Amino acid sequence: MPDKLLELKNDLVFQKVFGMPRNSDITAHFLSLILKRQIHNIDLDANKRMLSSRMDSKTGRLDIRAKFNNGEDCNIELQVIPYKYMPARMLEYWAGMYDNKINSGQGYDTLKPSISILIANYKLEELDNISKYHTIWNLREKDFPQNIISKNIELHVLEIPKIKDEEIVKDELSQWLKFIENPGNEEVEKFMSENKFLKQAKEELAYLSGDPDFQRLVESRAGMLKDIYYYKKQANEEGRAEGRAESRKQIAKKMKAKNMPIGEIIELTGLTEEEIKKL
């Protein structure tokens, strides 16, 4: 095993460990813990195509897509840096998946559930008053919350910082999340010493950690994500105030020079696409 394992919190590493077809057993097990039901016929082929075309790109998003149980569709996102509009972003991802499920001539009875999962290494402001680390969201009636109008919409939010010590002792999902947070966590290793899926995940992580070419890609992406965080913080501190348009333009120039996605630049600076293209 290499002297140092790569960080699973790097989304490039996360997608390699959980998104590749050769690791479908790991992903099916992990999803079964999140969704609280058996997962079968899992298909991860889309990730193989996405990863090969985007591994070295300057994208701020690299998720895992999974299809399973004869039609259910799932998007899994690992987010380390706080994102202001995360609930809206999750809903947009869900809508994109669901919109592509029905073809002309098909009936609505053919629609299967679409699921959006966020694993956050931070606490979401919108969920500050909820202490549990795993929340599940559906469309429910206001006065009768036990009634779900459709099970086809399902959002899961997992906030790693909210995991309590006692949960790590008895809850396998919290153990997996702590493993993602720190693959060298000895406490998690103790509780999951006989878990064949964890062993398989660690073996895959060790293999990737010993690949120098993949290490360089991971380091490059980590640097890009740090840049995004830095410019986001700078934009919030300097560029949002009225009358500070010049500051926002300077920040946008720096982001553009690093080939950051134009959508990220728009969101972080408040400039329009036309203004950014003129810089």
Side-chain angles (χ1 to χ4, degrees):
M1 182 173 290
D3 294 336
K4 185 178 179 181
L5 293 173
L6 292 170
E7 288 197 9
L8 262 171
K9 288 185 294 185
N10 180 289
D11 55 1
L12 194 61
V13 180
F14 182 77
Q15 196 192 61
K16 270 284 194 176
V17 173
F18 288 94
M20 294 295 97
R22 66 174 178 267
N23 297 326
S24 59
D25 287 349
I26 302 173
T27 310
H29 176 72
F30 186 51
L31 281 175
S32 72
L33 296 174
I34 297 173
L35 304 181
K36 304 181 189 302
R37 60 181 184 271
Q38 290 297 312
I39 303 298
H40 54 84
N41 297 336
I42 189 165
D43 178 4
L44 300 173
D45 279 343
N47 300 297
K48 191 166 54 178
R49 294 189 295 273
M50 281 183 359
L51 194 60
S52 63
S53 63
R54 298 170 64 188
M55 280 178 84
D56 57 354
S57 70
K58 291 292 184 180
T59 179
R61 171 185 170 188
L62 192 64
D63 308 338
I64 291 174
R65 291 294 297 272
K67 295 180 182 292
F68 51 87
N69 293 12
N70 302 318
E72 294 188 52
D73 200 5
C74 180
N75 181 85
I76 308 170
E77 178 179 9
L78 175 68
Q79 189 71 23
V80 176
I81 300 171
Y83 193 91
K84 187 175 181 180
Y85 303 106
M86 183 52 71
R89 178 161 141 170
M90 286 186 71
L91 196 57
E92 182 198 16
Y93 290 5
W94 174 87
M97 285 190 292
Y98 199 63
D99 186 50
N100 291 323
K101 277 187 175 290
I102 191 167
N103 298 318
S104 178
Q106 289 184 309
Y108 291 111
D109 59 324
T110 63
L111 287 168
K112 299 287 185 178
S114 289
I115 303 158
S116 187
I117 298 173
L118 168 67
I119 301 172
N121 199 45
Y122 63 92
K123 295 180 181 180
L124 275 69
E125 290 182 12
E126 296 85 353
L127 308 185
D128 189 53
N129 63 329
I130 300 177
S131 60
K132 66 179 186 175
Y133 76 88
H134 180 193
T135 52
I136 305 170
W137 305 85
N138 305 105
L139 285 176
R140 298 174 182 269
E141 208 289 322
K142 180 181 178 182
D143 297 323
F144 300 89
Q146 72 277 13
N147 287 20
I148 300 174
I149 195 169
S150 173
K151 293 184 179 180
N152 283 356
I153 178 169
E154 190 175 333
L155 308 179
H156 291 254
V157 180
L158 299 107
E159 301 169 278
I160 293 177
K162 287 185 178 180
I163 296 175
K164 301 176 180 64
D165 290 342
E166 61 268 22
E167 287 172 324
I168 301 175
V169 175
K170 58 187 178 183
D171 177 12
E172 188 180 349
L173 177 57
S174 69
Q175 293 168 5
W176 269 100
L177 293 174
K178 281 295 186 179
F179 167 69
I180 291 170
E181 182 188 38
N182 176 16
N185 190 315
E186 293 181 0
E187 187 177 14
V188 171
E189 189 82 43
K190 178 179 67 176
F191 293 124
M192 299 179 72
S193 60
E194 300 302 319
N195 190 307
K196 67 177 183 179
F197 300 106
L198 178 74
K199 290 180 180 178
Q200 189 178 340
K202 287 201 76 169
E203 287 172 2
E204 179 70 14
L205 184 59
Y207 169 76
L208 295 171
S209 300
D211 182 341
D213 292 332
F214 186 69
Q215 286 178 27
R216 282 191 288 272
L217 283 173
V218 169
E219 289 168 4
S220 174
R221 183 160 177 80
M224 184 272 290
L225 292 176
K226 284 180 181 178
D227 285 341
I228 288 178
Y229 177 75
Y230 168 76
Y231 290 126
K232 179 178 180 180
K233 184 177 179 182
Q234 188 177 358
N236 287 336
E237 292 176 353
E238 299 179 12
R240 289 292 188 186
E242 189 174 350
R244 302 294 293 278
E246 195 58 37
S247 294
R248 287 183 282 143
K249 286 181 180 179
Q250 290 302 318
I251 294 168
K253 279 184 180 180
K254 294 176 184 178
M255 297 175 75
K256 192 176 179 183
K258 288 185 174 288
N259 297 319
M260 290 187 181
I262 195 163
E264 296 276 0
I265 302 175
I266 291 170
E267 181 182 341
L268 301 183
T269 64
L271 298 176
T272 66
E273 183 174 351
E274 185 178 354
E275 288 174 320
I276 294 167
K277 287 181 177 179
K278 288 180 180 179
L279 294 176

